[in-house]
Amino acid sequence: MSRNAESTAFRSALEVIRAVEPRVADAIGAELTDQRESLKLIASENYASPATLLAMGNWFSDKYAEGTVGRRFYAGCQNVDTVEALAAEHARELFGAAHAYVQPHSGIDANLVAFWAVLADRVESPALKKAQVRQVNDLTEADWFALRRELGNQRMLGMSLDAGGHLTHGFRPNISGKMFDQRSYGTDPATGLIDYDRVAEAAREFKPLILVGGYSAYPRKVNFRILREIADSVGATFMVDMAHFAGLVAGKVFTGDFDPVPHAHIVTTTTHKSLRGPRGGMVLCQPELADQVDRGCPMVLGGPLPHVMAAKAVALAEARRPDFADYAQRIVDNSQALADGLLRRGAKLVTGGTDNHLVLIDVSGYGLTGRQAEQALLDSGIVTNRNSVPQDPNGAWYTSGIRIGTPALTTRGLGTAEMDQTAELIHTVLTQTTAGANADGTPSKAKYALDPALADKIARQATDLLAPFPLYPTVDLA
Ligand SMILES: *Cc1c(COP(=O)(O)O)cnc(C)c1O
């Protein structure tokens, strides 16, 4: 696409917005500047294509489209049907899935759809059958009361938070933890890796309705074939949340045992992380769960966002092109180069390296908490996020880790040489930062000291590193 077309499109859009509320137009412009200037290592972020972004800014946003393709509760949904069917078709083809539901507004929403689809399939449907009624409204008060209790009394086994699991996999602060009786499996303290025998043992003891695989901070491949065997051995439904690594599945970096789609009964994902689409979610499933998944709205979701589904169709079409596989492989090459660069300089990494798009630095090796490290890096123009490490002594707020990921920088075009330089910048900041103390002399988990001149120097070096790789090179707002 020509520089002209994309520049004109975004410039014109800003002009139209500026005429109504100039501060919004300014903020949008400032966001592009900020994103262009920062070394973005946030493992869950990326840069969607101009076509994906533009597909969201239009009158599709005006449509209500409750229901599914061809079966809507509102009239006039023929064009929404077109984009929803396209997005679902691209998703099925891309991932080799039997069924795709592209309405979820986010990853959390996709998980809620999945949980309730499984509960409906495995708890509600049998109860209706037993009571010999077709739907919940036909149950007696007593049967309804009993069913509600049963729905609220199911078990989930998922990866522990500090091993890299996600809050939505049954943890108490999230609705999933209030819905399910949850237990979690961790990683081997010696290796940092998932110990499948321990998972099998936990499953045998706990007998979960749902076994959840997937993570947001585990730097290694997961063997989904083994997890499925474990699920089968205890009659659990196997669900995988591939929110973080969907791009690596789409790009065929994760295949065979490491591709969740052929092994799981149900797979959820976001569309905006390594997949590089619009902010949103998606559910893929086996045919048996399709009808229940399609009830996601209005079961747990508000009306679908047709403009976002349009953008999902565009992004998924992009991910089906051969160059996406190349992109996905470069994400991992870059992540491994970053890990190697850090290890060579003496950093301590959880599991000692990476197979995927992310690296987890244990910053206790630098005498810092995650929070101190995150802030010192931010002062130096390097955007990361703090994250727990297994058996983290500093808890979920201060943490002892820094999670870094390469999907975004890989989209910009940075390669392994730049990753080594990035490792140098990170290592320099972390070695030069010192932990602070509280007023009473005890060590502070938040205060730190870093020479501002050094932070400035690193920030300039980060900008120099990015200079040959302009973000959105076809977009000129000036
Ligand atoms: C990011 C993430 C989510 C949540 O996605 P949102 O779009 O923010 O709702 C859910 N699960 C996992 C594993 C994630 O990494």
Side-chain angles (χ1 to χ4, degrees):
M1 186 46 57
S2 76
R3 181 172 296 259
N4 259 347
E6 287 168 3
S7 295
T8 306
F10 285 103
R11 263 192 237 161
S12 304
L14 287 181
E15 197 182 310
V16 173
I17 296 164
R18 181 163 286 113
V20 180
E21 174 48 290
R23 288 170 294 186
V24 170
D26 289 345
I28 295 171
E31 181 60 26
L32 179 59
T33 305
D34 288 354
Q35 295 213 19
R36 279 179 166 160
E37 289 173 359
S38 68
L39 194 70
K40 182 153 95 177
L41 285 161
I42 295 183
S44 52
E45 291 192 7
N46 210 329
Y47 307 107
S49 73
T52 296
L53 296 178
L54 289 167
M56 278 186 279
N58 58 70
W59 31 91
F60 260 138
S61 167
D62 300 335
K63 257 325 273 172
Y64 245 115
E66 226 173 272
T68 50
V69 175
R71 274 190 86 250
R72 303 288 185 186
F73 293 91
Y74 288 79
C77 292
Q78 58 282 0
N79 302 308
V80 178
D81 280 359
T82 301
V83 296
E84 181 168 355
L86 263 174
E89 182 192 326
H90 284 315
R92 287 192 307 270
E93 292 292 325
L94 178 63
F95 293 106
H99 183 73
Y101 181 64
V102 297
Q103 292 187 12
H105 309 161
S106 76
I108 290 188
D109 291 10
N111 285 349
L112 275 177
V113 170
F115 298 153
W116 281 100
V118 175
L119 287 170
D121 181 57
R122 298 207 40 203
V123 180
E124 186 175 293
S125 292
L128 295 180
K129 206 171 275 170
K130 191 168 153 220
Q132 295 182 323
V133 299
R134 276 195 51 240
Q135 50 139 328
V136 285
N137 287 337
D138 300 331
L139 289 171
T140 63
E141 283 300 308
D143 283 348
W144 176 232
F145 184 79
L147 173 56
R148 287 178 54 233
R149 280 184 65 146
E150 209 188 332
L151 285 168
N153 196 26
Q154 298 300 318
R155 294 172 175 176
M156 170 178 290
L157 179 64
M159 195 166 187
S160 72
L161 269 186
D162 69 357
H166 195 264
L167 206 61
T168 58
H169 301 175
F171 294 94
R172 290 180 188 182
N174 179 259
I175 182 84
S176 57
K178 304 179 207 293
M179 281 161 57
F180 288 95
D181 177 12
Q182 195 259 24
R183 235 181 253 174
S184 49
Y185 55 89
T187 46
D188 182 323
T191 60
L193 302 175
I194 295 176
D195 179 341
Y196 295 96
D197 292 338
R198 295 280 301 278
V199 180
E201 202 179 291
R204 267 197 308 277
E205 273 172 23
F206 190 52
K207 302 239 182 318
L209 180 80
I210 304 179
L211 172 66
V212 185
Y215 54 79
S216 44
Y218 181 68
R220 295 294 180 176
K221 287 183 187 172
V222 174
N223 190 315
F224 297 113
R225 180 183 54 77
I226 298 179
L227 288 181
R228 171 60 187 263
E229 284 168 11
I230 294 171
D232 284 347
S233 74
V234 297
T237 297
F238 181 37
M239 166 177 160
V240 175
D241 179 352
M242 64 171 182
H244 254 259
F245 55 91
L248 304 184
V249 178
K252 311 288 181 256
V253 174
F254 286 176
T255 56
D257 292 355
F258 308 106
D259 174 354
V261 180
H263 301 293
H265 296 98
I266 190 161
V267 175
T268 58
T269 186
T270 60
T271 46
H272 50 275
K273 297 183 183 175
S274 56
L275 197 52
R276 212 168 67 186
R279 189 155 290 282
M282 201 159 69
V283 180
L284 308 173
C285 67
Q286 308 278 1
E288 316 82 82
L289 286 168
D291 285 348
Q292 299 294 0
V293 164
D294 282 349
R295 295 196 176 109
C297 166
M299 176 72 196
V300 291
L301 298 176
L305 311 174
H307 56 307
V308 180
M309 293 196 289
K312 286 173 182 169
V314 172
L316 289 163
E318 289 171 342
R320 288 184 67 190
R321 299 199 302 219
D323 60 351
F324 193 87
D326 173 60
Y327 166 66
Q329 184 57 53
R330 284 188 290 116
I331 289 176
V332 177
D333 293 346
N334 278 343
S335 178
Q336 290 176 338
L338 194 52
D340 288 348
L342 286 162
L343 286 171
R344 243 185 306 111
R345 290 170 175 86
K348 193 166 130 196
L349 305 184
V350 174
T351 78
T354 180
D355 304 323
N356 59 17
H357 63 296
L358 70 88
V359 175
L360 196 56
I361 311 174
D362 182 344
V363 295
S364 66
Y366 293 101
L368 301 171
T369 64
R371 183 169 161 96
Q372 290 162 335
E374 175 194 83
Q375 291 299 312
L377 287 167
L378 192 62
D379 293 345
S380 313
I382 300 171
V383 188
T384 65
N385 64 279
R386 66 183 185 280
N387 208 101
S388 300
V389 301
Q391 292 95 40
D392 201 310
N394 286 322
W397 177 252
Y398 293 108
T399 82
S400 305
I402 286 288
R403 186 185 67 168
I404 52 183
T406 52
L409 291 182
T410 306
T411 297
R412 281 185 85 138
L414 280 77
T416 52
E418 289 77 28
M419 291 305 112
D420 192 61
Q421 288 170 268
T422 302
E424 172 68 20
L425 299 183
I426 292 171
H427 179 74
T428 305
V429 172
L430 297 182
T431 44
Q432 297 302 315
T433 301
T434 49
N438 296 314
D440 63 3
T442 56
S444 166
K445 293 185 179 189
K447 293 183 192 159
Y448 63 96
L450 172 65
D451 176 7
L454 178 71
D456 284 347
K457 185 175 148 214
I458 298 281
R460 276 196 307 279
Q461 288 174 338
T463 312
D464 290 346
L465 193 61
L466 291 171
F469 307 97
L471 175 63
Y472 295 114
T474 56
V475 179
D476 178 8
L477 296 184

